[in-house]
Amino acid sequence: MRKTLLTAAACAATVLSFSAAAIANPEPAPHPTEHPKDGEHKDGEHKDDHKPHG
């Protein structure tokens, strides 16, 4: 019985630690001004068609 109790306590501690890590380090949201991916350019513009600066 003692072995089962220790195993259950170890499993519970593992689950709680993973849950706490997920809450403390959430997946970052994408940046709102992210560069568009291929196929998401508007007006037929492609990444190679950009005008040089200056």
Side-chain angles (χ1 to χ4, degrees), residues 34-51:
E34 224 176 61
H35 184 74
K37 304 199 178 7
D38 290 343
E40 292 182 359
H41 289 49
K42 50 187 171 178
D43 299 325
E45 178 185 307
H46 295 285
K47 62 182 175 183
D48 296 334
D49 294 342
H50 290 255
K51 296 178 183 174

Side-chain angles (χ1 to χ4, degrees), residues 10-43:
C11 290
T14 302
V15 169
L16 287 175
S17 66
F18 277 115
S19 298
I23 291 170
N25 301 312
E27 189 170 322
H31 195 275
T33 57
E34 224 176 61
H35 184 74
K37 304 199 178 7
D38 290 343
E40 292 182 359
H41 289 49
K42 50 187 171 178
D43 299 325

Side-chain angles (χ1 to χ4, degrees), residues 1-9:
M1 169 127 171
R2 195 178 301 177
K3 185 176 182 181
T4 304
L5 182 61
L6 288 174
T7 303

